[in-house]
Amino acid sequence: MKTPRCLFALLLCLLLACCGVQAQPAGPALPLEEPPAPHETPNPPPQSQGDAISPSYEEENSEEPVPEKEEEPDAFGQALEELFIRVEDAEEPEEIIRAYLDLQYLGYAYLEPVDLGPVLDLEQPLMRNLQIWQNLLIQRRRLLYESDLCYVEREIFDFDLTFIEPEELTDGRLEQWEGYDFGDEGQGVEYHFVVTGQPGRAYPPLLAVNAQHTVRLLHTDEGWKITFHYFPGAGRKFYTYYLAEREDDEVMEELLQELTRGDRYTDQGPKETSTPYRGIFAARYALRFAETPNPDFYHVGDWNGNCMNFVSQCVLHGFGDGRVPDPSLSRFMTKEWFSGDGGGTPAWENVDYFWEYATRGGPLRCQVLRGAKGLRAGDVIQIRSSLLGKDDDPDDFTHCLIVVEPHTMMLAQNSPANFVYFSDLVGVEKRYLRPLYMD
């Protein structure tokens, strides 16, 4: 039996109705949505702020110009400009002195040479030397920083400037300077001051923290200018001979020699009865007493130099057990290396005499190191100026320091009583010594 075609149509309509498909109501036709182009992605639904939103094709291929990245402000240039404005507005010598120290510190931290002409009388040979010495210091630090040969401090720490009266000077410099020609025809004014910083911090060498400074200033058409500057240790830096700028390649070659040679280990073993040297105890003593002298020991004074007296104390405490005071340490003193209430022997207080005593194979056994690589806490560094006069002895070293932080190569010293970094030792020859044990 054949089913009529109209019945098939009726059954199909009923089936569609049961499945929920509804016919569009009569009326105007709705506009058809254009299908997306094959390469387009429909916009996704709104997402939360933390969700990543995929860029559309238009966003990815936008030809809108990308805004140029704004240049970072020149912090060094801004700080330098502010300092020069301070100098221009300064009316009192004290303001010039503070600006002078701040200018030095700025160049030191940013590894950028700074023209000290606005505060120094560069017609004076000593002040020209000071400017060149500062430039050489910055050059050394910059090359060490760029080559990553050793740690170079870049942070600027607060410091205070305290002016003192002439009668507060403790080293007799005024008596030594009687009749000295300062080059200002007696028209200069003299100021004395002390720079203090955060305890245990190393500051730029020309700030000579904790030392007594003397400067002379002359009033010129351009304002107050510094014509003379002295502090303990200044003579090792810019006093004796005329300095000259140097090429980077020449300096870099010397730095590589300094910091790629050294002795990490020693093959000199102690006897069974020997007392080993513990450099960490020597370094701890140095950290504690570098800035504030130990009253149990005689102080030589800054005019003659207390550096070797201080380092001898540190080395002595390297043979103890870390206690301070430690009366038992007197047993390690010898007839040649000894300190008492009235002072010490030449080997205790003099740089060259100590070196001779420590290296000739006596009771104090030491290792002479070939370079600065691998320096340890408690190692000793002696220095002298690289520029020798015709009458100078190349074996005559004038200053002594001790390593207190091997990682940063921070050194402790006296005369002046503060901390410096190995990166600060510019314009000097160096020799290195590692105490090992005491027989």
Side-chain angles (χ1 to χ4, degrees), residues 227-431:
T227 61
F228 174 84
H229 185 191
Y230 171 81
F231 56 85
R236 297 189 298 269
K237 296 175 172 60
F238 54 89
Y239 259 66
T240 310
Y241 303 104
Y242 289 93
L243 301 175
E245 306 280 358
R246 304 179 65 195
E247 296 294 330
D248 281 2
D249 291 345
E250 179 187 5
V251 175
M252 193 64 212
E253 183 178 351
E254 293 180 0
L255 294 177
L256 288 171
Q257 292 179 359
E258 282 184 37
L259 287 152
T260 58
R261 295 185 301 183
D263 302 84
R264 293 184 177 275
Y265 307 102
T266 176
D267 55 4
Q268 302 179 34
K271 303 175 184 177
E272 293 183 0
T273 57
S274 300
T275 301
Y277 177 73
R278 295 179 175 87
I280 188 64
F281 289 157
R284 288 177 185 172
Y285 181 91
L287 286 166
R288 180 174 173 181
F289 292 108
E291 297 176 297
T292 305
N294 184 350
D296 294 336
F297 284 88
Y298 175 85
H299 194 281
V300 176
D302 284 335
W303 188 261
N304 292 320
N306 196 61
C307 64
M308 193 63 247
N309 176 36
F310 168 68
V311 172
S312 285
Q313 295 172 36
C314 299
V315 172
L316 178 68
H317 281 79
F319 293 106
D321 56 9
R323 290 180 298 153
V324 179
D326 184 357
S328 67
L329 289 177
S330 60
R331 73 184 189 275
F332 296 111
M333 292 183 179
T334 66
K335 291 181 179 180
E336 290 185 80
W337 189 58
F338 175 86
S339 177
D341 295 336
T345 58
W348 183 276
E349 293 185 358
N350 180 275
V351 173
D352 287 331
Y353 279 102
F354 174 80
W355 182 270
E356 180 185 356
Y357 173 75
T359 58
R360 71 165 181 246
L364 176 59
R365 298 303 181 104
C366 298
Q367 178 183 7
V368 177
L369 307 177
R370 292 174 295 172
K373 183 178 180 180
L375 285 175
R376 303 176 187 171
D379 286 350
V380 174
I381 302 177
Q382 294 190 345
I383 63 174
R384 66 160 174 82
S385 173
S386 323
L387 299 172
L388 295 176
K390 60 180 181 179
D391 298 325
D392 289 336
D393 183 351
D395 294 324
D396 184 13
F397 282 67
T398 58
H399 190 54
C400 195
L401 311 93
I402 188 166
V403 180
V404 292
E405 288 183 3
H407 175 65
T408 62
M409 298 185 78
M410 188 168 81
L411 316 172
Q413 64 178 354
N414 264 198
S415 299
N418 56 31
F419 301 96
V420 294
Y421 290 106
F422 183 83
S423 57
D424 297 331
L425 301 184
V426 65
V428 293
E429 298 293 329
K430 310 168 188 71
R431 60 187 184 188

Side-chain angles (χ1 to χ4, degrees), residues 51-66:
D51 294 334
I53 301 177
S54 301
S56 66
Y57 177 83
E58 287 84 356
E59 290 173 332
E60 290 178 342
N61 295 272
S62 173
E63 296 182 0
E64 294 182 4
V66 178

